[in-house]
Amino acid sequence: LKDQFDNLDKHTQWGIDFLEKYAKFVKERIEIEQNYAKQLRNLVKKYCPKRSSKDEEPRFTSCIAFFNILNELNDYAGQREVVAEEMGHRVYGELMRYSHDLKTERKMHLQEGRKAQQYLDMCWKQMDNSKKKFERECREAEKAQQSYERLDNDTNATKADVEKAKQQLNLRTHMADENKNEYAAQLQNFNGEQHKHYYIVIPQIYKQLQEMDERRTIKLSECYKGFADSERKVIPIISKCLEGMILAAKSVDEHRDSQLVIDCFKSGFEPPGDFPFEDYSQNIYRTISDGTISTPKQEGMRIDSKTTVGKAKGKLWLFGKKPKPQSPPLTPTSLYTSSTPNGSQYPIFSIEPVHYCMSDIKTGKPRIPSFRSLKRGYFCLQGPALEDFSHLPPEQRRKKLQQRIDELNRELQKETDQKDALIKMKDVYEKNPQMGDPGSLQPKLTETMSNMDRLRMEIHKNEAWLSEVEGKVAARSDRRHSSDINHLVTQGRESPEGSYTDDANQEVRGPPQQHAHPNEFDDEFEDDDPLPAIGHCKAIYPFDGHNEGTLAMKEGEILYIIEEDKGDGWTRARRHNGEEGYVPTSYIDVTLEKNSKGA
């Protein structure tokens, strides 16, 4: 039985060691999850755009899809952190607490068992001592009896010796009887304690150890289940992250990306027209047939052959391979006159500006170094940026002016809203003077009115420039129609149009192009204003919001979105009562307005 007690001691110690071994396994798994989430967040941060400038915001659907995938991956990393936190709180922490309690309980039970065994050993020693004493007294009594019998049978022994031996025999017999009674009592006591020890005390201690070991086994089972539940709880959110990645992949539109490239590079210029055929053999044939020298042509109609041939060779193919010509300086368009068969005069534009544009386009870099050049548009002429964008091609100038007008309109709307708010606040102060001084709002109101007047003047000025561009485009379209008719009459002697100069009044714009979507590049000049609502969301899961700056929400609650997720896994929201704070992006279903940023 004592050996079995030692075996149970070893078994319970092994159970606690196994429990701590599993706790160590969970701790290492938590570290793996935390490192995995940290590496995923670093990866997302590495490839996310810096958002330092609006010109660098992604426009292509492939780029937007990639950044959406990065956002979903960031949410996925957040769920890995949730798994690690759940395992640490529900599994590892519980195991460590239970292991400490288990050690204390096991120590107590083993001490009780050892005490019971020590008490039984003490009873056995007392019984054994009484037994040995009884045995010794019995031997002494036997010796006294033998001595008495010998003296009693001895005729030479005196009566006094016989009486003394008899008294010694009676004394030893009496002591033997007392030791016998004591031994019997000790034996009976030991037998009772032994029965109690083996049938009551030890079984009870073993039962307690058994229950303790069974509870340990149950706790392990619960921890196994909690370990799996920590992973299973985030599976729906992880599935949504993966579905978001799939939707981002499906949102890639190659035709829209191609159209963005076209819109970024579209200049509004027309290709150069056909070069006229100049028949230098007319004078020879006329001299041979008439025998006289014909009157030379007017100098205004004559085009220098060297200039014409040289330029024709240098500009025949827009994308062909040719030696780099020396670009002539950009000069105002020079006019030549030519006579039609009916004697009317019409202008012919020189090809110098066309040559300049073609050579500048051909000497540009043939490939796109980065997405930044696509977002900023094609800058075909290097020069200082003018306020009216007259340094840009017609189509790019029209788009830039339209974008600036839209931006100014948005600023004007903000100033108007601010003016209305100040007027309302002033009325409230006038009705309730204790709330504030109405005169303190007058400087701000005056400043707002001044800003509104300034913005209206800016809008009027840019609208005038836009009307000028659109008018020139329309005029050029009519002129192109007439030139197509005259081209058949004059056998293609007219030079191609479409040149432009640094002077906005001398520009000849290209034909009206297909208008791009007005909201396609509005975000390039949009100010980041976190105050107005840009959408709404519905809480998928409850959030307690104990930390500072967070907003608690209930499942199914509807909130306004005032700031999108910047890649850190948090979205800024606002309740109907005006309370604002951050909520986890993975806990809400976001719906952005179509006309808001990032919709």
Side-chain angles (χ1 to χ4, degrees):
L1 291 176
K2 188 175 180 180
D3 293 340
Q4 299 305 320
F5 185 82
D6 294 338
N7 290 334
L8 289 178
D9 185 6
K10 294 178 181 179
H11 174 74
T12 52
Q13 182 61 41
W14 171 86
I16 294 176
D17 293 341
F18 182 78
L19 185 71
E20 293 179 344
K21 182 179 180 180
Y22 178 70
K24 184 179 179 182
F25 161 77
V26 175
K27 181 181 179 181
E28 292 181 0
R29 170 66 189 276
I30 291 172
E31 293 176 354
I32 291 174
E33 290 290 347
Q34 290 174 344
N35 293 333
Y36 180 47
K38 182 179 180 181
Q39 291 176 2
L40 284 179
R41 288 195 183 277
N42 291 336
L43 182 66
V44 171
K45 184 178 179 181
K46 178 181 178 181
Y47 286 93
C48 268
K50 302 301 181 182
R51 300 293 178 93
S52 59
S53 173
K54 296 183 182 299
D55 294 336
E56 297 180 1
E57 293 184 357
R59 295 296 175 199
F60 297 97
T61 57
S62 57
C63 297
I64 295 174
F66 175 64
F67 295 142
N68 290 336
I69 289 175
L70 290 179
N71 291 332
E72 297 295 342
L73 187 61
N74 189 63
D75 295 339
Y76 177 82
Q79 295 308 310
R80 304 318 307 178
E81 291 177 347
V82 171
V83 170
E85 182 179 357
E86 185 73 13
M87 286 183 179
H89 175 71
R90 184 176 177 182
V91 182
Y92 179 72
E94 187 67 22
L95 282 174
M96 296 307 294
R97 287 191 297 269
Y98 188 75
S99 175
H100 181 268
D101 297 341
L102 201 64
K103 290 179 180 178
T104 304
E105 184 180 359
R106 172 181 173 273
K107 183 178 180 181
M108 181 185 67
H109 294 325
L110 293 179
Q111 286 179 352
E112 291 178 356
R114 291 189 181 95
K115 287 181 181 179
Q117 188 66 38
Q118 290 174 0
Y119 180 71
L120 183 63
D121 293 341
M122 183 185 67
C123 293
W124 181 83
K125 287 181 180 180
Q126 291 177 355
M127 185 271 297
D128 187 60
N129 290 334
S130 63
K131 178 183 176 182
K132 291 179 179 179
K133 189 175 180 181
F134 171 63
E135 182 182 3
R136 186 172 59 252
E137 291 297 331
C138 288
R139 285 198 299 268
E140 292 294 331
E142 288 178 359
K143 290 179 180 180
Q145 184 178 6
Q146 291 176 2
S147 176
Y148 170 72
E149 289 178 354
R150 186 179 67 253
L151 290 174
D152 188 40
N153 295 326
D154 188 5
T155 57
N156 296 323
T158 62
K159 186 177 181 179
D161 293 336
V162 174
E163 287 295 331
K164 187 178 179 180
K166 184 178 181 180
Q167 290 178 1
Q168 187 68 24
L169 175 61
N170 293 334
L171 178 62
R172 292 298 179 181
T173 303
H174 178 71
M175 292 179 65
D177 291 339
E178 288 181 356
N179 288 325
K180 179 180 179 182
N181 295 332
E182 184 181 357
Y183 168 65
Q186 292 293 337
L187 180 61
Q188 184 178 2
N189 180 56
F190 173 76
N191 289 332
E193 293 296 333
Q194 181 176 255
H195 184 274
K196 181 181 178 181
H197 177 81
Y198 288 109
Y199 286 93
I200 298 176
V201 178
I202 291 299
Q204 185 177 0
I205 294 175
Y206 285 177
K207 185 178 181 181
Q208 292 173 351
L209 290 173
Q210 179 182 356
E211 291 175 354
M212 181 193 70
D213 194 64
E214 290 176 353
R215 288 198 306 271
R216 176 191 62 83
T217 307
I218 293 173
K219 178 59 69 174
L220 279 174
S221 176
E222 293 176 353
C223 291
Y224 295 159
K225 184 175 180 296
F227 185 83
D229 287 340
S230 301
E231 187 87 19
R232 186 172 59 181
K233 282 183 179 180
V234 300
I235 287 179
I237 303 178
I238 291 178
S239 299
K240 288 187 178 181
C241 294
L242 298 178
E243 290 175 3
M245 294 181 185
I246 295 175
L247 291 177
K250 292 181 179 179
S251 66
V252 176
D253 187 356
E254 67 278 7
H255 301 294
R256 185 165 178 262
D257 288 352
S258 299
Q259 187 62 38
L260 286 176
V261 177
I262 293 172
D263 293 338
C264 289
F265 284 88
K266 184 167 56 177
S267 64
F269 294 116
E270 288 185 357
D274 297 337
F275 283 86
F277 175 76
E278 300 182 8
D279 190 0
Y280 297 101
S281 63
Q282 292 181 358
N283 295 336
I284 300 175
Y285 295 151
R286 190 173 299 172
T287 302
I288 295 175
S289 60
D290 298 340
T292 60
I293 300 176
S294 61
T295 304
K297 295 183 181 180
Q298 296 180 2
E299 188 175 354
M301 296 176 57
R302 184 68 175 267
I303 301 176
D304 189 4
S305 61
K306 294 181 180 180
T307 303
T308 304
V309 174
K311 292 175 182 176
K313 289 181 180 180
K315 302 176 297 181
L316 186 57
W317 303 109
L318 179 60
F319 300 103
K321 181 178 181 182
K322 70 177 185 63
K324 293 185 178 179
Q326 293 182 353
S327 300
L330 188 62
T331 59
T333 306
S334 59
L335 301 177
Y336 294 86
T337 57
S338 177
S339 299
T340 59
N342 57 5
S344 62
Q345 302 290 328
Y346 65 94
I348 298 179
F349 295 87
S350 71
I351 59 177
E352 292 292 339
V354 179
H355 171 61
Y356 180 86
C357 297
M358 290 175 61
S359 62
D360 192 27
I361 293 174
K362 293 175 69 177
T363 55
K365 292 184 179 180
R367 58 183 178 273
I368 305 169
S370 65
F371 288 128
R372 185 179 304 173
S373 61
L374 293 180
K375 300 186 193 87
R376 293 179 178 174
Y378 181 72
F379 195 71
C380 67
L381 290 178
Q382 301 295 333
L386 303 178
E387 184 182 6
D388 60 349
F389 300 112
S390 59
H391 62 287
L392 294 177
E395 184 65 22
Q396 299 295 332
R397 183 187 181 193
R398 183 190 65 78
K399 290 165 60 177
K400 289 291 185 181
L401 289 173
Q402 185 64 49
Q403 291 170 4
R404 180 185 287 175
I405 292 172
D406 294 339
E407 178 189 4
L408 293 173
N409 284 326
R410 286 192 294 269
E411 293 181 1
L412 180 60
Q413 183 62 37
K414 293 178 183 178
E415 295 292 338
T416 304
D417 296 339
Q418 186 175 0
K419 182 198 72 172
D420 296 339
L422 290 172
I423 292 175
K424 290 181 180 179
M425 189 178 297
K426 185 177 180 181
D427 294 340
V428 172
Y429 286 175
E430 290 176 352
K431 294 178 181 179
N432 301 308
Q434 66 274 10
M435 296 184 66
D437 183 15
S440 62
L441 300 177
Q442 189 61 35
K444 186 65 176 178
L445 189 60
T446 304
E447 181 183 357
T448 303
M449 297 293 292
S450 176
N451 291 337
M452 290 175 62
D453 294 338
R454 177 182 57 80
L455 289 173
R456 289 192 182 99
M457 293 177 60
E458 290 289 333
I459 291 173
H460 180 72
K461 181 171 62 174
N462 283 273
E463 286 179 348
W465 288 334
L466 182 62
S467 299
E468 176 188 354
V469 174
E470 292 177 347
K472 287 185 178 181
V473 170
R476 181 175 178 179
S477 177
D478 296 338
R479 186 163 63 250
R480 181 187 176 190
H481 179 70
S482 62
S483 66
D484 290 341
I485 298 176
N486 294 333
H487 177 74
L488 299 176
V489 179
T490 59
Q491 297 180 358
R493 294 181 61 87
E494 184 180 357
S495 299
E497 311 178 21
S499 62
Y500 70 96
T501 66
D502 290 336
D503 187 2
N505 296 326
Q506 294 181 1
E507 280 188 1
V508 181
R509 303 301 181 187
Q513 302 293 332
Q514 182 180 0
H515 292 284
H517 297 288
N519 295 328
E520 193 167 3
F521 291 92
D522 284 348
D523 292 346
E524 293 184 7
F525 296 91
E526 182 180 1
D527 291 335
D528 291 330
D529 188 359
L531 294 179
I534 60 175
H536 63 277
C537 67
K538 181 179 181 182
I540 306 176
Y541 308 100
F543 179 64
D544 51 10
H546 291 326
N547 296 331
E548 183 179 359
T550 59
L551 182 65
M553 61 182 181
K554 300 178 180 179
E555 184 176 358
E557 185 176 358
I558 303 298
L559 303 172
Y560 291 118
I561 298 297
I562 59 177
E563 186 176 340
E564 293 185 67
D565 188 355
K566 300 299 183 181
D568 56 358
W570 294 89
T571 300
R572 191 176 179 183
R574 179 171 59 207
R575 280 202 180 93
H576 297 282
N577 59 3
E579 184 180 0
E580 297 180 2
Y582 287 90
V583 296
T585 306
S586 57
Y587 282 40
I588 57 176
D589 185 12
V590 179
T591 302
L592 297 177
E593 302 296 337
K594 293 183 179 180
N595 59 350
S596 64
K597 182 178 178 181

